[in-house]
Amino acid sequence: MPGVLSPFMSFPPAAGGNTLVGTSYGYGYAPTITVPFPAGAQVGDIAVMLLVSTSGGSGPVPSGWSFGSVGLSGATSLYASKKLTSGDIATGSVDVSYSSGSYMLALYRGPTAVAVKAFLATGYNTPSPMVATGFTKAAGSKSIASIIGSPTAMYSLSPGAPLTSRAGNTAVNLSDINPASGYANGSDFSYSYSDSNTPTILGAIWELS
């Protein structure tokens, strides 16, 4: 059964020809969550994706996707990325074997490669903020993207500088640094939230080059 899809979002081009094409996010149902690609997806676009639930799933995503998972305090996530092919565009979506939960996918145009650089996890009732350790930028880095999510509402989420919140709801959020020149090599990433009894939050940070 396909997930319940929020309206697609699209964005203006960033400097250097590096563009956030759009996002799709919503809630999907076991045993297979169908995550649609945003309108305007093209061959060569870079996709980054996160799914979160309370019980996880069998995975993996279809062939060609790089993926991994992280779990904490009764929550689990699957993060994945891929350079889209003609087959992906023809299908228009990706099916993931997973338990019911929230998903988010973002597409970037301009970069030709993607690598996961950090995994994010903070347990239930952990005081704000959540801080992720910075990393060494790769040569040719064009954009840095982060998706975080929770099986339950995250209340008011505010990614801190140099991240800029781009799309999402109370369950999932995309933030990025686009272009990557806005990221000082090795700087940490900070995410603040308003509720002191925050649920478990999971996610990943990718570098696109």
Side-chain angles (χ1 to χ4, degrees):
M1 176 178 179
V4 178
L5 177 65
S6 294
F8 289 123
M9 298 185 69
S10 59
F11 304 85
N18 184 34
T19 303
L20 172 58
V21 177
T23 62
S24 63
Y25 54 92
Y27 193 91
Y29 297 90
T32 302
I33 295 179
T34 298
V35 180
F37 300 134
Q42 296 181 8
V43 173
D45 287 348
I46 298 292
V48 293
M49 175 175 67
L50 179 77
L51 294 88
V52 290
S53 80
T54 55
S55 53
S58 60
V61 293
S63 175
W65 288 79
S66 298
F67 70 96
S69 62
V70 62
L72 183 69
S73 301
T76 185
S77 70
L78 183 147
Y79 53 87
S81 61
K82 186 184 183 185
K83 185 176 182 179
L84 298 187
T85 66
S86 58
D88 296 315
I89 302 304
T91 302
S93 61
V94 55
D95 289 338
V96 185
S97 298
Y98 213 68
S99 297
S100 298
S102 294
Y103 66 81
M104 185 169 213
L105 182 146
L107 280 186
Y108 287 85
R109 184 168 301 152
T112 58
V114 58
V116 64
K117 304 291 283 198
F119 317 115
L120 308 172
T122 184
Y124 173 76
N125 206 20
T126 301
S128 177
M130 174 175 67
V131 178
T133 302
F135 55 83
T136 302
K137 289 172 65 175
S141 180
K142 292 185 177 180
S143 181
I144 294 165
S146 170
I147 303 178
I148 64 173
S150 176
T152 54
M154 293 188 292
Y155 307 95
S156 296
L157 176 73
S158 301
L163 291 166
T164 298
S165 183
R166 302 300 298 270
N169 53 27
T170 58
V172 288
N173 175 271
L174 168 72
S175 57
D176 67 14
I177 307 167
N178 189 13
S181 57
Y183 175 65
N185 193 54
S187 296
D188 291 344
F189 301 85
S190 178
Y191 306 79
S192 299
Y193 32 86
S194 63
D195 191 85
S196 59
N197 295 318
T198 180
T200 300
I201 299 174
L202 303 170
I205 298 172
W206 294 268
E207 184 176 33
L208 292 77
S209 57

